[in-house]
Amino acid sequence: MAEATDAGRLNPANGLPAAHLDTASDRGLTVEEDGTLRWSARLDAAARAILGVDAGWRATLTRCSSPCRAALNSSFPRSDKMAHGRTIRIYLADGSAAGIRHAEVVNWTGQAVVCPRTRLAELKEWEETQRPGVYLLVGDDPEGTRPLVYVGEAEHVLDRLKQHAADEKKDFWDQVVVFTSKDANLTKAHVKYLESRIVEMAREIDRTRLFNTNTPPRPSLPRADRDAMEEFLGPARLLLAALGFTALQPLARRAADSTVGPSGPLASIELRLVVPRRHTDARGHQTDEGFVVLAGSKGDGTLRDSLQKGWRAFREELVADGSIRTTASGIEFARDVLFASSSAAASVALGGVWGGRTGWKTADGVTLADLEEGLVTAPVDGGGAT
């Protein structure tokens, strides 16, 4: 990459010759406040060949600054601790992705069956649902923006599901996910333990509204059985997410030593959006799912005309269901909230259009845009980016 000699000028002897730059555009290498070096200019054919730019007239080259490298290095897992890939098999009973599905993780003793409520009668042909198991009834919450979920267990799951289908008090659900064992080794005590743990995790993660009013007590199990059920839960959570149900997928990693959290190369880096004149001090993470604004984040209470209709409606829904509450100085997020993008998160927090990629920054002032560019331009070798 070209080096800076002074005031953001290119050194023709060490990089792209200045002659290849379009004189009508900004020439040279600029030095950002955080130490990031950035060069952006219109390129001719010879310059594109030198830089390896295959298409497009504009290219941006970024040298990751020391703060940027430090943030990226902290976000990459050590190579000896990286998770191994997993294989999931999903069988579509009638070839429809919306019909009855059977799913399993390779080399796991458990299995899952997903069934629309309207096809519950067809489960009489599925022996997988006619044994002890734990299940989740899932539907829309008429009072909020999150899914409504009921967690239960039964010695004969299908019989219990038929009872729920006839119960007007549980009329909200339109799908059920059933977990049973392929080797028929789950007992009544085992599934009661799984039920209790799933309710506990769902309450802690808080991505759904639970229909369960109380958390069932954990039954007393021998240590070996208890550990076996905890091991059962790992693939069950993975399978649940792969099937499109996120009730047990955390939006943020709460403890530094936690092994369960959102995925993504930047997911462990805390970013802040601080705009004092707008009473805004928000914290969040960029994950594979989108951008997560953390509970306790503060934003502007004023809605501006620049806020697009979709983001305005979403903010109003978050206020209505209690996810955002009004304070004397503005608004505060009562829970972690997932947004489709960093700009959506910033705009909702500030009540008007705001660029998220440059607005969200680390404690060292590195922007989300710099981090994302650093992932592309900085080589990764074993333990992290350099």
Side-chain angles (χ1 to χ4, degrees), residues 178-296:
V178 177
F179 287 102
T180 59
S181 174
K182 288 182 284 190
D183 56 18
N185 280 337
L186 287 180
T187 67
K188 177 69 171 179
H190 290 149
V191 296
K192 287 182 72 67
Y193 183 92
L194 292 174
E195 175 196 35
S196 176
R197 288 289 290 119
I198 290 174
V199 172
E200 287 176 7
M201 290 187 293
R203 287 197 193 284
E204 179 180 0
I205 293 168
D206 197 27
R207 292 193 65 168
T208 62
R209 186 167 77 87
L210 279 176
F211 193 88
N212 304 66
T213 55
N214 300 307
T215 300
R218 297 187 198 179
S220 178
L221 289 177
R223 182 182 297 273
D225 286 28
R226 187 171 65 246
D227 288 349
M229 291 304 97
E230 290 295 330
E231 187 175 350
F232 186 96
L233 284 168
R237 296 176 72 166
L238 174 65
L239 200 55
L240 198 63
L243 290 167
F245 302 95
T246 59
L248 302 184
Q249 293 300 302
L251 284 174
R253 182 176 280 108
R254 287 304 184 191
D257 60 349
S258 174
T259 58
V260 178
S263 62
L266 303 178
S268 62
I269 300 176
E270 183 173 283
L271 300 168
R272 293 185 67 188
L273 177 69
V274 181
V275 185
R277 70 180 187 276
R278 303 273 285 271
H279 309 289
T280 297
D281 186 354
R283 298 173 299 119
H285 297 273
Q286 180 66 54
T287 73
D288 283 341
E289 285 191 79
F291 196 92
V292 179
V293 176
L294 300 179

Side-chain angles (χ1 to χ4, degrees), residues 82-117:
M82 292 180 69
H84 296 290
R86 304 297 296 268
T87 299
I88 292 174
R89 295 195 184 106
I90 301 178
Y91 168 69
L92 309 179
D94 59 1
S96 169
I100 298 178
R101 288 149 283 165
H102 177 273
E104 60 182 334
V105 179
V106 172
N107 295 325
W108 179 51
T109 59
Q111 60 188 340
V113 175
V114 183
C115 179
R117 179 173 182 159

Side-chain angles (χ1 to χ4, degrees), residues 57-73:
W57 285 99
R58 183 167 292 276
T60 298
L61 303 180
T62 300
R63 170 173 291 170
C64 201
S65 63
S66 295
C68 180
R69 288 198 302 274
L72 290 176
N73 277 324

